[in-house]
Amino acid sequence: MSPMQDRTTETPNRDIDPFVEHRRLLFGTAYQMLGTVTDAEDILQDAWLKWHAVDRDSVEHPKSYLVRTVTNLALNRLTSARATRETYIGPWLPEPLITAADAAQETEMADTVSTAMLVVLETLAPVERAVFVLREVFGYSHAEIAGFLDRPEATVRQISHRARNHVHSRRPRFDADPEARSEITEKFMAACHGGDLNALMQLLAPDVTLWNDGGGIVTAARRPLHGPDHVARWILGVLAKPVSTGFGLETAVVNGELSILFTLGDYRGGALTFDLVDGRMENIRFQVNPQKLAGLARADEPES
């Protein structure tokens, strides 16, 4: 995994507030550290307040100051969130985020924002996650990260090495062919619309697993489901609904990958993301917790 671009130098535009200028970077940092859109937005609000309270003349490098502020705010939030997630009802999944089709060019997040990657990042300790995101995703040097986290550079190097090995050993293998992903997505929706169990099972990998995050708020499977037959029957029970009910399926680029949204009229009630392995769907993730769907509207709303 290569950093998106070099971030070791700053070229400030004095006509733009640095917070506004670097908002995408700051949001990307917070979101990848926390896996939640709502928490990332809260962090940006707190960072904005700190930025507008500081003596600007004392800040030599505004972007570095802002990244350090967001990183430490997110680190504190993540440490407390981990305890809360231990009592979460059912599987915990990241909040989905609608991104532009050319997200790798238009945002500060590139392909590392995939749901699969965010799930893997959840297995890191908070400081490991911060170091990994800053180093592997945004390309900061170990020395810069040491300054952000107020830790010795040698310690940061050790954490970085450990985190990188951890992520690489757990990151799922998947097909990156966009045409193959588009084809299987269309076939999946057709099978759901037609209630075709056999057609759906043919799209699933032999060791397919499905996770469903309802957060105890809406009806959802509280344990992972395994195997094509079990998973396909559950999917049809949820998604094979008559058009007359107003329920629908539509495609969208979610976390940088073509995915499926569940709609009821104009309301987006959930997202399905998946890993495509050898032409079949292997890891399927349903996010239907209504408190975790704010990111499904981001692409439709003007950025503040």
Side-chain angles (χ1 to χ4, degrees):
M1 183 187 312
S2 60
M4 293 185 297
Q5 65 184 66
D6 178 28
R7 305 195 185 283
T8 58
T9 60
E10 294 193 29
T11 54
N13 184 338
R14 299 188 182 281
D15 295 329
I16 303 176
D17 184 319
F19 187 91
V20 175
E21 182 180 1
H22 303 300
R23 192 182 190 283
R24 289 184 184 274
L25 167 64
L26 301 177
F27 176 83
T29 302
Y31 177 63
Q32 294 200 59
M33 283 188 62
L34 298 167
T36 61
V37 174
T38 48
D39 284 342
E41 294 288 7
D42 286 346
I43 292 299
L44 258 64
Q45 178 65 22
D46 291 343
W48 184 88
L49 293 173
K50 287 180 175 291
W51 171 243
H52 284 274
V54 74
D55 178 5
R56 304 291 181 84
D57 293 335
S58 68
V59 180
E60 184 176 359
H61 301 295
K63 183 169 72 171
S64 295
Y65 173 88
L66 289 167
V67 172
R68 175 173 184 160
T69 299
V70 166
T71 298
N72 284 283
L73 286 170
L75 192 56
N76 292 337
R77 179 72 63 93
L78 182 59
T79 301
S80 60
R82 286 171 69 88
T84 302
R85 291 174 191 176
E86 291 178 0
T87 60
Y88 194 80
I89 299 175
W92 187 95
L93 294 176
E95 290 186 16
L97 175 68
I98 287 187
T99 50
D102 54 350
Q105 287 73 41
E106 289 196 0
T107 76
E108 299 281 357
M109 293 177 282
D111 64 341
T112 49
V113 78
S114 72
T115 305
M117 173 56 72
L118 291 175
V119 169
V120 173
L121 293 183
E122 281 294 310
T123 65
L124 292 172
V127 173
E128 290 177 335
R129 185 166 183 168
V131 171
F132 182 88
V133 169
L134 292 170
R135 175 62 181 167
E136 302 296 326
V137 179
F138 295 111
Y140 283 103
S141 69
H142 293 117
E144 288 175 306
I145 299 170
F148 294 155
L149 301 179
D150 195 23
R151 292 171 180 254
E153 183 178 347
T155 300
V156 168
R157 286 183 179 276
Q158 292 176 350
I159 295 173
S160 177
H161 179 75
R162 184 169 65 246
R164 185 171 60 252
N165 288 343
H166 179 99
V167 170
H168 287 181
S169 68
R170 288 165 175 77
R171 188 177 188 181
R173 179 176 66 91
F174 62 91
D175 300 341
D177 184 355
E179 292 186 4
R181 190 174 184 91
S182 177
E183 180 180 357
I184 201 168
T185 299
E186 293 299 329
K187 289 181 177 179
F188 178 91
M189 293 195 298
C192 289
H193 284 310
D196 192 333
L197 178 64
N198 290 331
L200 184 56
M201 288 180 61
Q202 291 177 5
L203 303 177
L204 306 179
D207 56 350
V208 62
T209 298
L210 180 147
W211 291 267
N212 192 310
D213 183 346
I217 299 173
V218 297
T219 302
R222 295 191 178 185
R223 295 181 180 179
L225 306 178
H226 305 282
D229 183 73
H230 195 190
V231 170
R233 291 181 185 277
W234 189 90
I235 288 175
L236 289 184
V238 174
L239 300 184
K241 300 182 184 299
V243 176
S244 60
T245 65
F247 181 83
L249 301 175
E250 63 182 41
T251 59
V253 179
V254 178
N255 292 82
E257 298 176 322
L258 185 65
S259 304
I260 299 170
L261 301 182
F262 325 137
T263 62
L264 187 60
D266 294 331
Y267 173 69
R268 290 171 171 173
L272 180 152
T273 60
F274 62 92
D275 299 335
L276 186 63
V277 180
D278 296 330
R280 295 189 177 185
M281 302 169 80
E282 187 167 275
N283 301 304
I284 302 175
R285 306 174 186 89
F286 274 73
Q287 180 55 267
V288 293
N289 183 341
Q291 295 182 348
K292 300 171 74 172
L293 302 180
L296 297 187
R298 283 185 61 84
D300 296 335
E301 298 174 351
E303 184 172 332
S304 59

